């Protein structure tokens, strides 16, 4: 059971975005561990300025407020790693037979389809992270997706053919998030790095990537401290940030 993640828990019928709401709360010095849940988001935010659109009432859309003042801005990617691990563990718990993986940097896959997305926003104080808003969209009971997403999105229901309690998934997720967050606070992140690589889609394998207009094969070597993807292309080791490379599934 999580001790402080989910206390208090703020629940809304509808919000533009749980992340936007949480970011707005920061001015009021919210309690660490506060969660914001919405049944429906009208302007859910995705990575790189995209939108996160899911059917109302069927999925988990939650933001968690942490206060990781022990992390320097340069260590921000550790938060991505811990969240991806917590979400991946949650999916594995409810779908024990599924092949769950983290697609760099922090999408969660079941097989080759995305089941959850993560958006982390921060408030900085000098070189430290004063607050982190950890936004998670996890597809739970959605039975189908619009045609443009049908081949690349999935849900717990679509995999298992049965409904899941959003409340139970939320509770388990809070527990795993808190466990990783406390581990991060105690240690230097080495354990986290190893666990992340173990779950990383394509790690130490040849994968298909898109660089600009060109598609090619590359060896996924790892991820550096800043979160850049390390790829060996034609025997040359190169580092890429999220805007520069796309992993093809
Ligand atoms: C992605 O593009 O993969 C990230 C999606 C993150 C969606 C979640 S849903 C809860 C939280 N509130 C938001 O507006 N976005 C995140």
């Amino acid at each position: 059971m999580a001790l402080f993640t989910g206390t208090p828990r703020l629940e809304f019928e509808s919000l533009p975005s749980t992340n936007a709401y949480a970011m707005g709360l920061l001015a009021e010095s919210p309690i660490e561990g506060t969660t914001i849940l919405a049944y429906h988001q009208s302007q859910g935010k995705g990575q790189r300025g995209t939108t996160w659109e899911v059917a109302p009432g069927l999925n988990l859309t939650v933001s968690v407020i942490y206060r990781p003042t022990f992390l320097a801005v340069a260590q921000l990617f550790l938060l991505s790693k811990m969240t991806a691990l917590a979400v991946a563990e949650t999916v594995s718990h409810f779908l024990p037979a599924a092949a769950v993986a983290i697609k760099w940097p922090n999408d969660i896959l079941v097989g080759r389809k995305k089941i959850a997305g993560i958006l982390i926003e921060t408030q900085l104080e000098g070189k430290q992270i004063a607050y982190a808003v950890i936004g998670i969209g996890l597809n739970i009971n959605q039975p189908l997706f619009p045609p443009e997403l049908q081949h690349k999105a999935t849900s717990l229901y679509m995999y298992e053919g049965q409904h899941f309690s959003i409340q139970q998934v939320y509770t388990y997720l809070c527990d795993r998030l808190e466990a990783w967050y406390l581990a991060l606070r105690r240690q230097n992140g080495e354990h986290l790095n190893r666990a992340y690589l173990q779950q990383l889609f394509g790690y130490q394998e040849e994968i298909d990537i898109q660089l600009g207009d060109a598609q090619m094969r590359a060896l996924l070597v790892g991820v550096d401290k800043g979160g850049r993807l390390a790829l060996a292309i034609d025997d040359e080791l190169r580092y890429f940030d999220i805007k520069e490379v796309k992993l093809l599934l």
Side-chain angles (χ1 to χ4, degrees), residues 16-20 36 41 43-48 50-52 54 60-63 106-107 114 116-121 133-138:
S17 149
T18 57
N19 261 38
I36 296 101
Q41 289 190 125
Q43 290 165 43
K45 296 199 277 180
Q47 287 162 12
R48 298 179 299 285
T50 58
T51 54
W52 183 257
V54 285
L60 179 62
T61 48
V62 60
S63 298
N106 57 13
D107 286 347
K114 179 164 168 173
I118 294 165
L119 177 68
I120 299 178
E121 299 183 77
V133 168
I134 296 187
I136 297 160
L138 172 48

Side-chain angles (χ1 to χ4, degrees), residues 112-127:
R112 294 191 171 227
K113 292 185 172 182
K114 179 164 168 173
I115 196 161
I118 294 165
L119 177 68
I120 299 178
E121 299 183 77
T122 51
Q123 183 175 295
L124 309 178
E125 240 164 51
K127 289 198 168 124

